[in-house]
Amino acid sequence: DEGGTWFRDVRHPSNIAKVVQGFHSPEGLKQKLEQDIARADAYLAQTEILPFNDRQYQREGIKAVEHAIARDQQRILLAMATGTGKTRLATGLMYRLIKSQRFKHILFLVDRSTLGTQAFDAFGAEVIEQGQTLAQIYTIADLGVDGDTNVDVQVATVQSLVHRLFNTDSPLPIVFYDCIIIDEAHRGYTLDKEMTEGEETIRDEAQYLSTYKRVLEYFDATLIGLTATPALHTTEIFGKPVFTYSFTRAVEEGYLVNYDKPI
């Protein structure tokens, strides 16, 4: 038998046990018990995607993620060419996931504060439904992670989460975020490095762990990676993309302009 802390939801016989980073809090277990996953999945399957995501491929991407979630897939990857609207797709996806009550607290994770600010601005700029933006419909917090339970979407950097989880006396509960969307997932989520002989006496093991991996594996959450370049180390973590929108298809459908041949 493997050691560590394991969790299994025995309410459905097909659920399997998984490793978690600690024990669930009473509040976290209460939240899981109150969640009606079957009803939420049925809502997502039966409702149409809003006109906000007016491009067909964005609708396909959202549906592909929702189908993967309904299959209880814990790690999901979307591959979309640069410039085809990954943030716009994520905005529509988050709206549907929260409205259906499939997830309660979503973390939008970036590796640089400038990307976080851009995402936060986008969530407050694009009108989704009935003249309102995502930021007007739901509560969105920008970059600072303070553990506010009234926040629906938290935009944060990997570095701020590392500090909040591992350099404090009051880390967040492991079920605080039940869904994490990772922007540019190919960037920092590299595989762990091996310590050379003797280094364990002079170096902190955390230096050899991917900061993304430490943050993402801390939470008992569904992970959704967004990338334009699904590198090998990314697919080893998330698996093969559930949806791919290639540069070639984007050019053929008129959403991107092809590059000129070199002279």
mmCIF file of all heavy atoms in Angstrom, residues 115-162:
data_model
loop_
_atom_site.group_PDB
_atom_site.id
_atom_site.type_symbol
_atom_site.label_atom_id
_atom_site.label_comp_id
_atom_site.label_asym_id
_atom_site.label_seq_id
_atom_site.Cartn_x
_atom_site.Cartn_y
_atom_site.Cartn_z
ATOM 1 N N LEU A 115 0.150 39.337 -16.884
ATOM 2 C CA LEU A 115 -0.870 38.473 -17.482
ATOM 3 C C LEU A 115 -2.112 38.429 -16.610
ATOM 4 O O LEU A 115 -3.237 38.370 -17.114
ATOM 5 C CB LEU A 115 -0.315 37.060 -17.684
ATOM 6 C CG LEU A 115 0.807 36.905 -18.720
ATOM 7 C CD1 LEU A 115 1.318 35.468 -18.739
ATOM 8 C CD2 LEU A 115 0.322 37.313 -20.101
ATOM 9 N N GLY A 116 -1.912 38.460 -15.294
ATOM 10 C CA GLY A 116 -3.054 38.472 -14.380
ATOM 11 C C GLY A 116 -3.876 39.741 -14.521
ATOM 12 O O GLY A 116 -5.114 39.697 -14.533
ATOM 13 N N THR A 117 -3.192 40.873 -14.648
ATOM 14 C CA THR A 117 -3.893 42.144 -14.822
ATOM 15 C C THR A 117 -4.664 42.160 -16.139
ATOM 16 O O THR A 117 -5.809 42.630 -16.199
ATOM 17 C CB THR A 117 -2.884 43.312 -14.787
ATOM 18 O OG1 THR A 117 -2.195 43.280 -13.535
ATOM 19 C CG2 THR A 117 -3.596 44.645 -14.942
ATOM 20 N N GLN A 118 -4.048 41.639 -17.207
ATOM 21 C CA GLN A 118 -4.731 41.572 -18.502
ATOM 22 C C GLN A 118 -5.999 40.719 -18.407
ATOM 23 O O GLN A 118 -7.048 41.078 -18.947
ATOM 24 C CB GLN A 118 -3.784 40.988 -19.557
ATOM 25 C CG GLN A 118 -2.646 41.908 -19.956
ATOM 26 C CD GLN A 118 -1.641 41.226 -20.868
ATOM 27 O OE1 GLN A 118 -1.897 40.154 -21.413
ATOM 28 N NE2 GLN A 118 -0.491 41.842 -21.027
ATOM 29 N N ALA A 119 -5.878 39.570 -17.733
ATOM 30 C CA ALA A 119 -7.042 38.684 -17.591
ATOM 31 C C ALA A 119 -8.133 39.363 -16.767
ATOM 32 O O ALA A 119 -9.319 39.326 -17.129
ATOM 33 C CB ALA A 119 -6.623 37.375 -16.933
ATOM 34 N N PHE A 120 -7.748 39.998 -15.669
ATOM 35 C CA PHE A 120 -8.721 40.681 -14.811
ATOM 36 C C PHE A 120 -9.451 41.775 -15.595
ATOM 37 O O PHE A 120 -10.671 41.924 -15.488
ATOM 38 C CB PHE A 120 -8.005 41.277 -13.596
ATOM 39 C CG PHE A 120 -8.924 41.931 -12.604
ATOM 40 C CD1 PHE A 120 -9.631 41.174 -11.691
ATOM 41 C CD2 PHE A 120 -9.087 43.312 -12.594
ATOM 42 C CE1 PHE A 120 -10.485 41.765 -10.773
ATOM 43 C CE2 PHE A 120 -9.932 43.915 -11.679
ATOM 44 C CZ PHE A 120 -10.636 43.141 -10.772
ATOM 45 N N ASP A 121 -8.705 42.533 -16.389
ATOM 46 C CA ASP A 121 -9.310 43.581 -17.208
ATOM 47 C C ASP A 121 -10.274 42.985 -18.233
ATOM 48 O O ASP A 121 -11.352 43.542 -18.493
ATOM 49 C CB ASP A 121 -8.230 44.395 -17.919
ATOM 50 C CG ASP A 121 -7.400 45.234 -16.956
ATOM 51 O OD1 ASP A 121 -7.847 45.427 -15.805
ATOM 52 O OD2 ASP A 121 -6.302 45.675 -17.347
ATOM 53 N N ALA A 122 -9.885 41.839 -18.825
ATOM 54 C CA ALA A 122 -10.744 41.190 -19.826
ATOM 55 C C ALA A 122 -12.043 40.708 -19.202
ATOM 56 O O ALA A 122 -13.122 40.832 -19.800
ATOM 57 C CB ALA A 122 -10.001 40.016 -20.467
ATOM 58 N N PHE A 123 -11.970 40.172 -17.983
ATOM 59 C CA PHE A 123 -13.171 39.686 -17.308
ATOM 60 C C PHE A 123 -14.147 40.831 -17.002
ATOM 61 O O PHE A 123 -15.347 40.604 -16.834
ATOM 62 C CB PHE A 123 -12.817 38.963 -16.006
ATOM 63 C CG PHE A 123 -11.932 37.757 -16.213
ATOM 64 C CD1 PHE A 123 -11.085 37.318 -15.200
ATOM 65 C CD2 PHE A 123 -11.940 37.064 -17.404
ATOM 66 C CE1 PHE A 123 -10.278 36.209 -15.374
ATOM 67 C CE2 PHE A 123 -11.124 35.952 -17.595
ATOM 68 C CZ PHE A 123 -10.290 35.526 -16.582
ATOM 69 N N GLY A 124 -13.623 42.042 -16.904
ATOM 70 C CA GLY A 124 -14.471 43.184 -16.606
ATOM 71 C C GLY A 124 -14.844 44.005 -17.826
ATOM 72 O O GLY A 124 -15.512 45.038 -17.695
ATOM 73 N N ALA A 125 -14.414 43.565 -19.008
ATOM 74 C CA ALA A 125 -14.633 44.365 -20.216
ATOM 75 C C ALA A 125 -15.663 43.764 -21.160
ATOM 76 O O ALA A 125 -16.462 44.491 -21.756
ATOM 77 C CB ALA A 125 -13.303 44.554 -20.955
ATOM 78 N N GLU A 126 -15.662 42.449 -21.308
ATOM 79 C CA GLU A 126 -16.515 41.813 -22.316
ATOM 80 C C GLU A 126 -17.905 41.529 -21.753
ATOM 81 O O GLU A 126 -18.046 40.880 -20.709
ATOM 82 C CB GLU A 126 -15.866 40.493 -22.768
ATOM 83 C CG GLU A 126 -14.458 40.684 -23.328
ATOM 84 C CD GLU A 126 -14.423 40.608 -24.826
ATOM 85 O OE1 GLU A 126 -15.467 40.848 -25.448
ATOM 86 O OE2 GLU A 126 -13.363 40.293 -25.367
ATOM 87 N N VAL A 127 -18.918 42.015 -22.450
ATOM 88 C CA VAL A 127 -20.301 41.778 -22.027
ATOM 89 C C VAL A 127 -20.681 40.332 -22.347
ATOM 90 O O VAL A 127 -20.516 39.861 -23.466
ATOM 91 C CB VAL A 127 -21.259 42.752 -22.741
ATOM 92 C CG1 VAL A 127 -22.707 42.391 -22.425
ATOM 93 C CG2 VAL A 127 -20.955 44.184 -22.316
ATOM 94 N N ILE A 128 -21.188 39.620 -21.327
ATOM 95 C CA ILE A 128 -21.534 38.209 -21.493
ATOM 96 C C ILE A 128 -23.031 38.029 -21.709
ATOM 97 O O ILE A 128 -23.482 37.442 -22.683
ATOM 98 C CB ILE A 128 -21.095 37.388 -20.262
ATOM 99 C CG1 ILE A 128 -19.580 37.369 -20.171
ATOM 100 C CG2 ILE A 128 -21.619 35.954 -20.352
ATOM 101 C CD1 ILE A 128 -19.068 36.541 -19.018
ATOM 102 N N GLU A 129 -23.816 38.537 -20.746
ATOM 103 C CA GLU A 129 -25.254 38.298 -20.805
ATOM 104 C C GLU A 129 -26.010 39.489 -20.225
ATOM 105 O O GLU A 129 -25.602 40.024 -19.193
ATOM 106 C CB GLU A 129 -25.612 37.012 -20.028
ATOM 107 C CG GLU A 129 -27.068 36.600 -20.185
ATOM 108 C CD GLU A 129 -27.383 35.268 -19.498
ATOM 109 O OE1 GLU A 129 -26.696 34.933 -18.516
ATOM 110 O OE2 GLU A 129 -28.315 34.587 -19.946
ATOM 111 N N GLN A 130 -27.064 39.889 -20.914
ATOM 112 C CA GLN A 130 -27.946 40.958 -20.451
ATOM 113 C C GLN A 130 -27.167 42.232 -20.104
ATOM 114 O O GLN A 130 -27.417 42.889 -19.096
ATOM 115 C CB GLN A 130 -28.771 40.481 -19.245
ATOM 116 C CG GLN A 130 -29.711 39.337 -19.583
ATOM 117 C CD GLN A 130 -30.525 38.867 -18.386
ATOM 118 O OE1 GLN A 130 -30.253 39.232 -17.252
ATOM 119 N NE2 GLN A 130 -31.539 38.057 -18.658
ATOM 120 N N GLY A 131 -26.198 42.548 -20.952
ATOM 121 C CA GLY A 131 -25.441 43.785 -20.793
ATOM 122 C C GLY A 131 -24.441 43.788 -19.665
ATOM 123 O O GLY A 131 -23.884 44.840 -19.334
ATOM 124 N N GLN A 132 -24.185 42.633 -19.065
ATOM 125 C CA GLN A 132 -23.268 42.568 -17.929
ATOM 126 C C GLN A 132 -22.023 41.753 -18.254
ATOM 127 O O GLN A 132 -22.067 40.791 -19.039
ATOM 128 C CB GLN A 132 -23.970 41.963 -16.713
ATOM 129 C CG GLN A 132 -25.054 42.854 -16.110
ATOM 130 C CD GLN A 132 -25.588 42.271 -14.821
ATOM 131 O OE1 GLN A 132 -26.060 41.139 -14.784
ATOM 132 N NE2 GLN A 132 -25.518 43.035 -13.745
ATOM 133 N N THR A 133 -20.929 42.129 -17.631
ATOM 134 C CA THR A 133 -19.668 41.402 -17.779
ATOM 135 C C THR A 133 -19.559 40.333 -16.688
ATOM 136 O O THR A 133 -20.347 40.312 -15.735
ATOM 137 C CB THR A 133 -18.471 42.349 -17.667
ATOM 138 O OG1 THR A 133 -18.422 42.859 -16.317
ATOM 139 C CG2 THR A 133 -18.589 43.504 -18.643
ATOM 140 N N LEU A 134 -18.567 39.472 -16.821
ATOM 141 C CA LEU A 134 -18.336 38.446 -15.799
ATOM 142 C C LEU A 134 -18.073 39.087 -14.442
ATOM 143 O O LEU A 134 -18.547 38.613 -13.405
ATOM 144 C CB LEU A 134 -17.147 37.561 -16.202
ATOM 145 C CG LEU A 134 -16.847 36.372 -15.286
ATOM 146 C CD1 LEU A 134 -17.933 35.300 -15.419
ATOM 147 C CD2 LEU A 134 -15.483 35.759 -15.605
ATOM 148 N N ALA A 135 -17.319 40.193 -14.435
ATOM 149 C CA ALA A 135 -16.989 40.874 -13.179
ATOM 150 C C ALA A 135 -18.206 41.531 -12.543
ATOM 151 O O ALA A 135 -18.230 41.761 -11.327
ATOM 152 C CB ALA A 135 -15.896 41.918 -13.427
ATOM 153 N N GLN A 136 -19.221 41.844 -13.338
ATOM 154 C CA GLN A 136 -20.447 42.416 -12.784
ATOM 155 C C GLN A 136 -21.397 41.346 -12.264
ATOM 156 O O GLN A 136 -22.156 41.586 -11.328
ATOM 157 C CB GLN A 136 -21.154 43.262 -13.855
ATOM 158 C CG GLN A 136 -20.413 44.539 -14.216
ATOM 159 C CD GLN A 136 -21.047 45.265 -15.393
ATOM 160 O OE1 GLN A 136 -21.455 44.633 -16.365
ATOM 161 N NE2 GLN A 136 -21.127 46.583 -15.308
ATOM 162 N N ILE A 137 -21.332 40.163 -12.868
ATOM 163 C CA ILE A 137 -22.223 39.074 -12.468
ATOM 164 C C ILE A 137 -21.681 38.341 -11.250
ATOM 165 O O ILE A 137 -22.424 37.990 -10.327
ATOM 166 C CB ILE A 137 -22.422 38.087 -13.641
ATOM 167 C CG1 ILE A 137 -23.013 38.815 -14.858
ATOM 168 C CG2 ILE A 137 -23.330 36.929 -13.234
ATOM 169 C CD1 ILE A 137 -23.009 37.991 -16.130
ATOM 170 N N TYR A 138 -20.363 38.124 -11.231
ATOM 171 C CA TYR A 138 -19.730 37.385 -10.136
ATOM 172 C C TYR A 138 -18.600 38.211 -9.518
ATOM 173 O O TYR A 138 -18.099 39.160 -10.131
ATOM 174 C CB TYR A 138 -19.194 36.044 -10.632
ATOM 175 C CG TYR A 138 -20.278 35.110 -11.119
ATOM 176 C CD1 TYR A 138 -20.378 34.758 -12.461
ATOM 177 C CD2 TYR A 138 -21.235 34.609 -10.241
ATOM 178 C CE1 TYR A 138 -21.384 33.920 -12.917
ATOM 179 C CE2 TYR A 138 -22.254 33.771 -10.686
ATOM 180 C CZ TYR A 138 -22.321 33.435 -12.026
ATOM 181 O OH TYR A 138 -23.337 32.611 -12.463
ATOM 182 N N THR A 139 -18.205 37.829 -8.326
ATOM 183 C CA THR A 139 -17.142 38.535 -7.627
ATOM 184 C C THR A 139 -15.783 37.997 -8.075
ATOM 185 O O THR A 139 -15.508 36.808 -7.951
ATOM 186 C CB THR A 139 -17.284 38.354 -6.103
ATOM 187 O OG1 THR A 139 -18.586 38.782 -5.701
ATOM 188 C CG2 THR A 139 -16.228 39.164 -5.366
ATOM 189 N N ILE A 140 -14.943 38.892 -8.578
ATOM 190 C CA ILE A 140 -13.618 38.506 -9.067
ATOM 191 C C ILE A 140 -12.572 39.284 -8.285
ATOM 192 O O ILE A 140 -12.662 40.510 -8.159
ATOM 193 C CB ILE A 140 -13.472 38.780 -10.575
ATOM 194 C CG1 ILE A 140 -14.546 38.019 -11.359
ATOM 195 C CG2 ILE A 140 -12.085 38.368 -11.067
ATOM 196 C CD1 ILE A 140 -14.501 38.260 -12.844
ATOM 197 N N ALA A 141 -11.579 38.584 -7.757
ATOM 198 C CA ALA A 141 -10.500 39.225 -7.007
ATOM 199 C C ALA A 141 -9.227 39.215 -7.845
ATOM 200 O O ALA A 141 -8.913 38.224 -8.504
ATOM 201 C CB ALA A 141 -10.263 38.506 -5.674
ATOM 202 N N ASP A 142 -8.485 40.313 -7.805
ATOM 203 C CA ASP A 142 -7.306 40.479 -8.640
ATOM 204 C C ASP A 142 -6.022 40.303 -7.838
ATOM 205 O O ASP A 142 -5.740 41.083 -6.933
ATOM 206 C CB ASP A 142 -7.343 41.874 -9.273
ATOM 207 C CG ASP A 142 -6.175 42.118 -10.196
ATOM 208 O OD1 ASP A 142 -5.555 41.144 -10.627
ATOM 209 O OD2 ASP A 142 -5.889 43.293 -10.489
ATOM 210 N N LEU A 143 -5.279 39.269 -8.130
ATOM 211 C CA LEU A 143 -3.904 39.023 -7.697
ATOM 212 C C LEU A 143 -3.718 38.778 -6.199
ATOM 213 O O LEU A 143 -3.131 37.786 -5.800
ATOM 214 C CB LEU A 143 -2.977 40.141 -8.175
ATOM 215 C CG LEU A 143 -2.887 40.283 -9.706
ATOM 216 C CD1 LEU A 143 -1.920 41.384 -10.104
ATOM 217 C CD2 LEU A 143 -2.472 38.979 -10.360
ATOM 218 N N GLY A 144 -4.186 39.627 -5.321
ATOM 219 C CA GLY A 144 -3.973 39.400 -3.898
ATOM 220 C C GLY A 144 -4.810 38.243 -3.381
ATOM 221 O O GLY A 144 -6.037 38.258 -3.507
ATOM 222 N N VAL A 145 -4.167 37.241 -2.773
ATOM 223 C CA VAL A 145 -4.867 36.045 -2.291
ATOM 224 C C VAL A 145 -5.052 36.166 -0.783
ATOM 225 O O VAL A 145 -4.111 36.015 -0.015
ATOM 226 C CB VAL A 145 -4.073 34.760 -2.623
ATOM 227 C CG1 VAL A 145 -4.830 33.535 -2.161
ATOM 228 C CG2 VAL A 145 -3.776 34.685 -4.112
ATOM 229 N N ASP A 146 -6.278 36.453 -0.352
ATOM 230 C CA ASP A 146 -6.505 36.645 1.082
ATOM 231 C C ASP A 146 -7.452 35.609 1.685
ATOM 232 O O ASP A 146 -7.785 35.678 2.863
ATOM 233 C CB ASP A 146 -7.029 38.056 1.358
ATOM 234 C CG ASP A 146 -8.337 38.360 0.611
ATOM 235 O OD1 ASP A 146 -8.905 37.423 0.019
ATOM 236 O OD2 ASP A 146 -8.764 39.525 0.627
ATOM 237 N N GLY A 147 -7.907 34.654 0.878
ATOM 238 C CA GLY A 147 -8.757 33.602 1.414
ATOM 239 C C GLY A 147 -10.199 34.004 1.611
ATOM 240 O O GLY A 147 -10.918 33.399 2.409
ATOM 241 N N ASP A 148 -10.666 35.014 0.887
ATOM 242 C CA ASP A 148 -12.049 35.472 0.997
ATOM 243 C C ASP A 148 -12.982 34.418 0.385
ATOM 244 O O ASP A 148 -12.902 34.113 -0.797
ATOM 245 C CB ASP A 148 -12.204 36.805 0.265
ATOM 246 C CG ASP A 148 -13.589 37.417 0.435
ATOM 247 O OD1 ASP A 148 -14.465 36.757 1.028
ATOM 248 O OD2 ASP A 148 -13.791 38.560 -0.024
ATOM 249 N N THR A 149 -13.889 33.885 1.187
ATOM 250 C CA THR A 149 -14.786 32.831 0.715
ATOM 251 C C THR A 149 -15.916 33.372 -0.155
ATOM 252 O O THR A 149 -16.655 32.595 -0.743
ATOM 253 C CB THR A 149 -15.393 32.066 1.905
ATOM 254 O OG1 THR A 149 -16.057 32.996 2.768
ATOM 255 C CG2 THR A 149 -14.319 31.333 2.685
ATOM 256 N N ASN A 150 -16.063 34.694 -0.224
ATOM 257 C CA ASN A 150 -17.120 35.288 -1.048
ATOM 258 C C ASN A 150 -16.672 35.545 -2.485
ATOM 259 O O ASN A 150 -17.447 36.054 -3.292
ATOM 260 C CB ASN A 150 -17.594 36.607 -0.425
ATOM 261 C CG ASN A 150 -18.280 36.386 0.917
ATOM 262 O OD1 ASN A 150 -19.073 35.460 1.061
ATOM 263 N ND2 ASN A 150 -17.954 37.211 1.894
ATOM 264 N N VAL A 151 -15.430 35.206 -2.810
ATOM 265 C CA VAL A 151 -14.908 35.430 -4.156
ATOM 266 C C VAL A 151 -15.251 34.234 -5.034
ATOM 267 O O VAL A 151 -15.007 33.079 -4.666
ATOM 268 C CB VAL A 151 -13.379 35.644 -4.116
ATOM 269 C CG1 VAL A 151 -12.802 35.644 -5.520
ATOM 270 C CG2 VAL A 151 -13.053 36.948 -3.407
ATOM 271 N N ASP A 152 -15.835 34.502 -6.209
ATOM 272 C CA ASP A 152 -16.170 33.425 -7.150
ATOM 273 C C ASP A 152 -14.975 33.054 -8.019
ATOM 274 O O ASP A 152 -14.722 31.878 -8.273
ATOM 275 C CB ASP A 152 -17.337 33.855 -8.042
ATOM 276 C CG ASP A 152 -18.585 34.190 -7.245
ATOM 277 O OD1 ASP A 152 -19.064 33.301 -6.507
ATOM 278 O OD2 ASP A 152 -19.080 35.323 -7.353
ATOM 279 N N VAL A 153 -14.236 34.062 -8.493
ATOM 280 C CA VAL A 153 -13.063 33.844 -9.333
ATOM 281 C C VAL A 153 -11.894 34.614 -8.749
ATOM 282 O O VAL A 153 -11.989 35.816 -8.491
ATOM 283 C CB VAL A 153 -13.306 34.310 -10.790
ATOM 284 C CG1 VAL A 153 -12.028 34.148 -11.620
ATOM 285 C CG2 VAL A 153 -14.454 33.539 -11.426
ATOM 286 N N GLN A 154 -10.789 33.928 -8.536
ATOM 287 C CA GLN A 154 -9.568 34.561 -8.032
ATOM 288 C C GLN A 154 -8.522 34.533 -9.139
ATOM 289 O O GLN A 154 -8.197 33.473 -9.671
ATOM 290 C CB GLN A 154 -9.032 33.814 -6.816
ATOM 291 C CG GLN A 154 -7.659 34.265 -6.343
ATOM 292 C CD GLN A 154 -7.712 35.590 -5.599
ATOM 293 O OE1 GLN A 154 -8.352 35.687 -4.554
ATOM 294 N NE2 GLN A 154 -7.061 36.613 -6.141
ATOM 295 N N VAL A 155 -8.010 35.708 -9.507
ATOM 296 C CA VAL A 155 -6.887 35.787 -10.441
ATOM 297 C C VAL A 155 -5.623 35.902 -9.598
ATOM 298 O O VAL A 155 -5.530 36.773 -8.726
ATOM 299 C CB VAL A 155 -7.021 36.998 -11.377
ATOM 300 C CG1 VAL A 155 -5.846 37.045 -12.352
ATOM 301 C CG2 VAL A 155 -8.346 36.948 -12.146
ATOM 302 N N ALA A 156 -4.651 35.023 -9.824
ATOM 303 C CA ALA A 156 -3.458 35.027 -8.977
ATOM 304 C C ALA A 156 -2.244 34.530 -9.741
ATOM 305 O O ALA A 156 -2.368 33.791 -10.724
ATOM 306 C CB ALA A 156 -3.685 34.162 -7.733
ATOM 307 N N THR A 157 -1.077 34.943 -9.274
ATOM 308 C CA THR A 157 0.171 34.429 -9.826
ATOM 309 C C THR A 157 0.606 33.192 -9.042
ATOM 310 O O THR A 157 0.217 33.009 -7.880
ATOM 311 C CB THR A 157 1.296 35.473 -9.749
ATOM 312 O OG1 THR A 157 1.544 35.782 -8.368
ATOM 313 C CG2 THR A 157 0.917 36.742 -10.496
ATOM 314 N N VAL A 158 1.416 32.378 -9.692
ATOM 315 C CA VAL A 158 1.960 31.196 -9.021
ATOM 316 C C VAL A 158 2.739 31.617 -7.779
ATOM 317 O O VAL A 158 2.631 31.000 -6.711
ATOM 318 C CB VAL A 158 2.875 30.407 -9.977
ATOM 319 C CG1 VAL A 158 3.471 29.190 -9.279
ATOM 320 C CG2 VAL A 158 2.110 29.975 -11.209
ATOM 321 N N GLN A 159 3.527 32.684 -7.902
ATOM 322 C CA GLN A 159 4.372 33.113 -6.793
ATOM 323 C C GLN A 159 3.555 33.521 -5.573
ATOM 324 O O GLN A 159 3.915 33.207 -4.434
ATOM 325 C CB GLN A 159 5.260 34.291 -7.255
ATOM 326 C CG GLN A 159 6.263 33.943 -8.339
ATOM 327 C CD GLN A 159 5.649 33.830 -9.736
ATOM 328 O OE1 GLN A 159 4.498 34.211 -9.950
ATOM 329 N NE2 GLN A 159 6.412 33.307 -10.682
ATOM 330 N N SER A 160 2.424 34.204 -5.805
ATOM 331 C CA SER A 160 1.590 34.626 -4.670
ATOM 332 C C SER A 160 0.963 33.421 -3.977
ATOM 333 O O SER A 160 0.803 33.409 -2.752
ATOM 334 C CB SER A 160 0.496 35.596 -5.135
ATOM 335 O OG SER A 160 -0.420 34.957 -6.004
ATOM 336 N N LEU A 161 0.620 32.384 -4.754
ATOM 337 C CA LEU A 161 0.053 31.171 -4.149
ATOM 338 C C LEU A 161 1.102 30.415 -3.351
ATOM 339 O O LEU A 161 0.808 29.873 -2.279
ATOM 340 C CB LEU A 161 -0.550 30.273 -5.223
ATOM 341 C CG LEU A 161 -2.066 30.332 -5.440
ATOM 342 C CD1 LEU A 161 -2.802 29.828 -4.213
ATOM 343 C CD2 LEU A 161 -2.522 31.728 -5.791
ATOM 344 N N VAL A 162 2.326 30.350 -3.879
ATOM 345 C CA VAL A 162 3.404 29.680 -3.140
ATOM 346 C C VAL A 162 3.574 30.336 -1.776
ATOM 347 O O VAL A 162 3.682 29.658 -0.744
ATOM 348 C CB VAL A 162 4.734 29.722 -3.932
ATOM 349 C CG1 VAL A 162 5.908 29.313 -3.061
ATOM 350 C CG2 VAL A 162 4.650 28.809 -5.146
#
